[in-house]
Amino acid sequence: MQWHAAARSECGVPVQPGCRSAAVPAAVWARTHAAGTAALLRSDCKSLRPALTHHPVRGYHASVTLDGPVDPWPLRSRIRVAFLDDSEHERSIMAKAALTFVCQSCGAVYGRWQGRCDACGSWNTLAEEVPTGPASGPGAALSPGKRARTRGAGTEITTLDATLPDPPRLSTGISEFDRVCGGGLVEASAVLLGGDPGIGKSTLLLQAVAGAARLGASTLYVSGEEAAAQIQGRARRLGLTDASVRLATETRLESVIDLLKKEKPALAIIDSIQTLWTDTLPAAPGTVTQVRACAHELVRHAKNTGTALVLVGHVTKDGQIAGPRVVEHLVDAVLQFEGERGHQFRILRGLKNRFGPTDEIGVFEMGEAGLTEVTNPSAMFLDQRGEAMSGSAVFAGMEGTRPVLVEIQALASPTTFGAPRRAVQGWETTRLAMVLAVLETRCGIAFGQFDVYLNVAGGLKINEPAADLAVAAALVSAVSDTAMPRDTVVFGEIALSGQVRPVGRVEARLKEAEKLGFASALLGPVPGAQPVSGVHRKTLATVGDLVEAITGTAPGR
């Protein structure tokens, strides 16, 4: 049995009767009181033979001689020690160090639990985790000798004017997916895909990996959440059994890395990163420590081998991708798969992309045969639009490089409570409050007696400020019970002063509107040269001009 030595004081400490004499290992940790100061010293002795004595009052005592230079004592120092078992010794010296709490949203570390994370502001996200030593787990510190040998080895230097070929891309056969990725998946890249549970992430990736396999690419699908039989059943329902996709179910990181080294796929899907764990870390799967370590190792393997890697990530209750933000910095692209459960449409949105434009979207329709591409999303979002009714306005927006036309619906009903209600779907609540305040202050339209409901048809989420004018048009139309013309689109940003500010990509918006049969547009001032388009433009300087264009009367102030 191996024992550790922990000295207490010159009078000695009682030792349990079950403790027997044994050779002390080379690394002896001794805690003693010397010159009034507690010091933790390490003795590099080969082996020591302790001596046990018994006192009628104090019980068993241990006495040992430490051979070797132990500063500040002489070469031979006699101290009193008490022997503890390995596990007891480790618990005693790590008791305080083990009490670390890590935020599961941002990865901030605290010495004690608290309800709110000061770093990211999330509530009830701190969880206790066992700290890892510097020599364990991925990214362990190198020794000084090895660090000196590897410093600057193999580093290639280039200049800004050097001409390098574009990175090769891997097509999945799904044009909407490749569009969001910037033209296909780049070799040796890592992509993080997030989305709500049941939104269709696994279905989308299974179709993508099958499409790449049909085009001749070697693919591997590793699942940590579903059994192989479940994935095979989904493949049969989608008609993908003819694709040569290799399938595996594994959650241990070391096994996944060995599988990637053995198969050498051009495209690998890991579903999901929260289920992976490494045996070098004592933390539970899904914690910040495990997610960060597993993602780092997988991304490093992809960079070294040229594999295009796609990681599936869970999302929090706020819709953000779960895990530390460092994972989003590690990968090359972050994609969000969103949509409403009650709608058949799904939106694949690019939040980050080092190899293509951001804020690009791909539109899909969920059906019995899986996800189907929607090549003309504007026509899809306006397909169910009926006759002209009050509270409806068509917004000509931009999603990345693609113009998208979508219907904005507003309803103003008399309130029965003291505080009117504001409900928003697909837009920002704070932005709606600003538009309502501008209409009340600059145009004299009172919304305090109305419950206001705003909805973006089709389940699309709009983040563009150019939607201000369309929302204002829908609100004015709803409160005045005046229907706007069916062939009119609206777009523009509203300032707090009530002025309508210009927006970019005006020509692309108007061309999309003309293609779908719209004849007129309400918009803000167009800087520079006037765009050439078949759509009649009515330029609005203020929101008062918008109210007059809809109701036919100038607003009262």
Side-chain angles (χ1 to χ4, degrees):
M1 177 176 289
Q2 190 178 45
W3 302 95
H4 288 277
R8 292 296 185 263
S9 63
E10 288 301 326
C11 64
V13 178
V15 180
Q16 298 297 329
C19 176
R20 66 176 183 268
S21 177
V24 180
V28 178
W29 289 89
R31 181 179 296 274
T32 184
H33 294 277
T37 304
L40 188 64
L41 304 176
R42 180 169 182 169
S43 174
D44 293 325
C45 308
K46 295 183 178 179
S47 64
L48 301 176
R49 185 66 59 177
L52 296 179
T53 58
H54 180 266
H55 192 275
V57 178
R58 297 191 179 99
Y60 285 90
H61 287 67
S63 177
V64 69
T65 299
L66 300 180
D67 294 328
V70 183
D71 189 36
W73 294 325
L75 293 180
R76 300 177 61 85
S77 303
R78 187 175 182 84
I79 60 175
R80 303 287 183 174
V81 296
F83 292 100
L84 302 175
D85 184 73
D86 281 344
S87 58
E88 293 180 351
H89 174 68
E90 184 177 356
R91 286 196 299 267
S92 64
I93 65 176
M94 293 294 293
K96 292 186 177 180
L99 295 178
T100 59
F101 296 85
V102 182
C103 177
Q104 303 302 303
S105 296
C106 65
V109 181
Y110 298 89
R112 63 177 183 176
W113 186 90
Q114 58 189 43
R116 182 178 181 271
C117 176
D118 297 333
C120 64
S122 302
W123 287 90
N124 299 324
T125 57
L126 267 65
E128 182 179 353
E129 293 187 8
V130 179
T132 57
S136 63
L142 296 176
S143 62
K146 187 175 181 180
R147 185 165 54 247
R149 291 193 302 269
T150 59
R151 184 183 295 118
T155 303
E156 182 180 356
I157 299 178
T158 184
T159 59
L160 295 178
D161 58 351
T163 303
L164 298 177
D166 294 334
R169 294 183 180 268
L170 176 66
S171 176
T172 62
I174 304 177
S175 59
E176 290 294 302
F177 185 89
D178 294 341
R179 176 192 181 94
V180 178
C181 294
L185 293 170
V186 179
E187 294 182 5
S189 66
V191 178
L192 179 63
L193 174 65
D196 294 330
I199 201 67
K201 300 185 298 295
S202 300
T203 301
L204 174 64
L205 291 180
L206 186 59
Q207 292 184 227
V209 73
R214 287 171 175 170
L215 295 177
S218 59
T219 58
L220 176 63
Y221 192 104
V222 180
S223 176
E225 298 182 344
E226 297 177 293
Q230 294 176 292
I231 303 175
Q232 292 168 352
R234 183 185 300 115
R236 284 191 293 269
R237 292 193 302 270
L238 301 178
L240 304 176
T241 54
D242 60 328
S244 58
V245 177
R246 288 165 289 181
L247 178 64
T249 56
E250 183 58 62
T251 58
R252 183 172 175 267
L253 175 64
E254 288 74 15
S255 300
V256 173
I257 295 294
D258 292 341
L259 187 62
L260 292 174
K261 292 180 180 178
K262 177 183 177 182
E263 299 294 335
K264 296 181 176 59
L267 172 60
I269 309 294
I270 307 297
D271 188 8
S272 65
I273 187 61
Q274 273 79 13
T275 61
L276 294 185
W277 60 276
T278 173
D279 50 13
T280 60
L281 299 175
T287 57
V288 170
T289 305
Q290 288 282 5
V291 171
R292 179 172 55 239
C294 294
H296 179 270
E297 288 298 306
L298 289 172
V299 172
R300 185 172 65 174
H301 175 80
K303 298 296 183 181
N304 294 334
T305 60
T307 300
L309 180 68
V310 179
L311 304 175
V312 179
H314 296 170
V315 296
T316 62
K317 59 182 179 181
D318 298 329
Q320 302 295 326
I321 298 179
R325 303 291 292 186
V326 68
V327 176
E328 298 186 27
H329 293 289
L330 283 175
V331 298
D332 300 302
V334 179
L335 310 181
Q336 184 83 11
F337 201 44
E338 57 191 31
E340 299 295 332
R341 293 290 185 90
H343 295 84
Q344 70 272 28
F345 306 123
R346 301 289 186 268
I347 309 297
L348 181 64
R349 186 184 302 274
L351 305 180
K352 167 191 174 182
N353 195 347
R354 292 173 178 166
F355 303 105
T358 57
D359 292 332
E360 193 70 71
I361 68 167
V363 185
F364 299 86
E365 183 177 2
M366 178 66 78
E368 296 182 357
L371 292 166
T372 306
E373 300 178 71
V374 178
T375 57
N376 192 350
S378 298
M380 178 200 68
F381 289 129
L382 300 177
D383 184 42
Q384 304 297 328
R385 189 169 179 240
E387 297 296 329
M389 297 184 64
S390 62
S392 175
V394 177
F395 166 59
M398 293 295 300
E399 294 292 344
T401 59
R402 166 184 285 178
V404 177
L405 270 61
V406 64
E407 182 183 6
I408 306 292
Q409 301 171 347
L411 178 64
S413 63
T415 182
T416 57
F417 303 98
R421 185 180 182 184
R422 306 289 186 254
V424 184
Q425 189 71 28
W427 207 47
E428 297 180 6
T429 305
T430 55
R431 201 77 183 177
L432 173 63
M434 188 206 72
V435 173
L436 291 175
V438 171
L439 290 175
E440 288 186 358
T441 304
R442 305 301 179 184
C443 302
I445 302 177
F447 288 93
Q449 56 185 346
F450 294 102
D451 291 333
V452 177
Y453 302 89
L454 186 71
N455 177 52
V456 179
L460 182 66
K461 294 181 180 179
I462 299 177
N463 301 318
E464 191 181 6
D468 293 347
L469 198 62
V471 171
L475 291 172
V476 173
S477 174
V479 75
S480 64
D481 197 18
T482 302
M484 293 187 59
R486 280 181 50 86
D487 59 350
T488 300
V489 295
V490 187
F491 58 92
E493 182 181 357
I494 296 178
L496 292 179
S497 61
Q499 295 179 341
V500 180
R501 299 175 58 86
V503 296
R505 306 295 301 275
V506 175
E507 179 63 18
R509 302 172 196 262
L510 295 179
K511 283 185 177 180
E512 183 72 12
E514 182 182 11
K515 185 172 63 175
L516 295 177
F518 288 87
S520 61
L522 301 178
L523 68 161
V526 179
Q530 294 291 327
V532 179
S533 175
V535 179
H536 173 70
R537 300 178 303 276
K538 181 176 178 58
T539 303
L540 307 176
T542 63
V543 289
D545 299 337
L546 174 68
V547 174
E548 184 176 359
I550 296 176
T551 62
T553 58
R557 292 173 174 80

